[in-house]
Amino acid sequence: MTGPGEKKTVDRREMLAGGVRAVCGAGFFALGLGMLGRQAETRAAQSLRPPGALAEADFLAACSRCGLCVRDCPWDTLRLAGIGDGAALGTPLFTARAVPCEMCQDIPCVVACPTGALDHRLTDIKQAKMGIAVLVGQETCLNFLGLRCDVCYRVCPLIDEAITLERSHNERTGKHARFIPTVHSDKCTGCGKCEKACVLEEAAIKVLPAELALGRLGGHYRLGWEEKRKHGESLLKDIIDLPDRGYGDGTATPYGGAERGANGAFKEFKP
Amino acid sequence: MRAAGWKWLIARRLSQAFFVALFLAGPLAGLWVVEGTLASSLTLGVLPLTDPLILLQSLLARHWPEATALLGAAIVVAGYLLVGGRAYCSWVCPLNPVTDAAHWLREKLGLREGVTISPRLRLWVLAGALAASALFGTLAWELVNPVTITHRALVFGGGLMWTVAVGIFVFDLAIARRGWCGHLCPVGAAYGLIGKGSLLRVSAVRREACDDCMDCYAVCPEPRVLTPALRGKAKGFGPVILSGDCTNCGRCIDVCPQDVFGFASRFDKREQTIGQQQGEYVP
């Protein structure tokens, strides 16, 4: 026998079941999308964001994938990520080795961005941080080999600021200098002109996303000399300055006068 | 089906072609009337437009956008509050011709089998996409959105991304009748929510003349929305189709041999009785 009250209970139960089903379904769907989102946060190292781009996770929360930055790039540097570009589908990127950023003074890509995924506070292109150039090919770079290529240094829009040539001794010839292209991360904008211009088949200097390019000290690290400068004097007073002990006569070594060979190594070691 | 009109269908195809041409004139012919895509665009260098669902995802992902995007989304919402929320679906969206073609072929081939999906599922897809945007701090639906992916493929070149549109076609053809636009798409669901309050609506203004031929039910992409307006007089429903799911496609206006339907304001409660129109009452 089904009274009106009984029927109502069944309806309510069905409704509840339907609601739970829908919420669970939507929940699973949301989780799936979320995982896809996490996956999309990993960006290939050679896929660089336009100037002013927010940090990757924030960028993916902001960029509407409209392509207005791409349209306003006068050098056709930017493109929208397709499948296999190693960046979230439809987001803008450029590949330095293909077309680097020409660092327009008026930064039209940033101005065009309607959402602020490219931060409108960036008004001086020299403050851009699209990545950091790193001379990764230290075994192939012609300057490292002792030649004077210097191309990366010459094309750098911030020559002698972002890239300098640092002299060092050429151990191979024993009498020449090597001019080592040296990137200064505080000045480098990551425009990629150096990577584009590198004369090697595979560029020795590459622009990498900053988090890959730069090391980072532990937050608790204190550099003694910095602390000393800030404090005006050494933080540790009354340090006994022990005399430096040489190894010259053999008697003063920690190993009690073990004999050394011509190359300076111990001939035998008896603890 | 009896003698069918084509006026609104042709107008709608022209409108869809117009919007595609508008976005393609720049990249193909150098006529930069509109830059960008349906996600965000800039018309004639002054009019910014932004998809409100994309903006909503962004807000939920805790990004406060530039005023340009906020203004653009406000203009779009205001526009569709005038012309009908899901007018986007039937008059603008680049996927509509794809799913319409799939539906046409499905009918031609007489494919009756298919998965039954609740049309309310799109609301849950929308809820899931928005929840994912909020929980994971990203534009979650834009990772997979077939509408924006297809439009981007159209305007910027698609390559492999065209497979998404092909997939939607196959889904609608072989798996579910009017599956995508009518049941799953959360973009349509979002515009449907805007449409709940929109001004321009289809009205069964001469519903007394209806002779139950069912032609409108056959062509309507959301046949549920017809019933209250067409047959609900006894239950106190007005002649205006108020459901947000109605896409304002106007196909019912085209096919009705009795000229029951017409566009009207949602506030227009007037009805034409048979006597007024034809001077005599035909039972």
Side-chain angles (χ1 to χ4, degrees), chain B:
Chain B
M1 204 183 290
R2 287 171 286 183
W6 300 97
K7 192 173 92 179
W8 291 108
L9 182 64
I10 292 168
R12 207 156 61 77
R13 294 287 177 249
L14 287 176
S15 161
Q16 289 163 342
F18 169 75
F19 282 107
V20 168
L22 209 57
F23 279 98
L24 280 181
L28 293 187
L31 289 168
W32 292 103
V33 181
V34 178
E35 280 184 309
T37 62
L38 284 172
S40 275
S41 63
L42 187 64
T43 304
L44 295 169
V46 288
L47 175 69
L49 296 174
T50 291
D51 185 280
L53 179 57
I54 291 178
L55 188 88
L56 183 58
Q57 291 174 72
S58 198
L59 289 171
L60 288 172
R62 291 173 297 285
H63 171 73
W64 186 251
E66 290 287 324
T68 318
L70 291 168
L71 178 67
I75 295 172
V76 170
V77 171
Y80 285 107
L81 275 174
L82 284 179
V83 300
R86 289 196 66 203
Y88 174 86
C89 301
S90 57
W91 293 79
V92 180
C93 179
L95 271 185
N96 178 275
V98 174
T99 57
D100 271 0
H103 181 71
W104 175 84
L105 189 58
R106 190 180 166 85
E107 298 284 298
K108 277 275 169 216
L109 298 176
L111 300 175
R112 292 269 172 256
E113 300 295 309
V115 182
T116 311
I117 310 169
S118 161
R120 295 183 64 81
L121 187 57
R122 57 186 148 197
L123 289 170
W124 291 103
V125 176
L126 176 63
L130 294 179
S133 295
L135 285 173
F136 296 91
T138 189
L139 301 190
W141 182 244
E142 296 316 300
L143 296 163
V144 292
N145 187 350
V147 176
T148 46
I149 287 175
T150 302
H151 196 251
R152 215 161 43 230
L154 206 60
V155 179
F156 283 91
L160 272 176
M161 284 183 287
W162 284 113
T163 48
V164 175
V166 174
I168 296 288
F169 181 85
V170 171
F171 179 73
D172 267 28
L173 175 67
I175 298 175
R177 181 180 186 273
R178 295 202 184 275
W180 180 254
C181 299
H183 298 82
L184 291 177
C185 178
V187 181
Y191 278 105
L193 294 176
I194 296 172
K196 276 182 186 294
S198 68
L199 186 65
L200 183 70
R201 301 274 57 177
V202 173
S203 172
V205 68
R206 277 165 38 79
R207 56 183 171 180
E208 278 188 16
C210 173
D211 60 0
D212 292 330
C213 75
M214 304 296 280
D215 279 1
C216 54
Y217 282 92
V219 294
C220 182
E222 307 275 349
R224 298 173 320 288
V225 307
L226 292 168
T227 308
L230 192 59
R231 298 175 167 177
K233 189 169 188 178
K235 289 181 186 166
F237 288 103
V240 180
I241 296 172
L242 290 173
S243 167
D245 288 345
C246 171
T247 68
N248 275 8
C249 71
R251 196 73 188 108
C252 53
I253 306 175
D254 275 346
V255 299
C256 179
Q258 303 294 326
D259 289 328
V260 165
F261 299 98
F263 280 113
S265 150
R266 71 182 295 115
F267 304 111
D268 193 352
K269 300 282 193 284
R270 282 172 303 171
E271 260 182 82
Q272 281 178 17
T273 58
I274 303 300
Q276 280 172 341
Q277 180 69 19
Q278 295 176 343
E280 55 174 323
Y281 181 67
V282 184

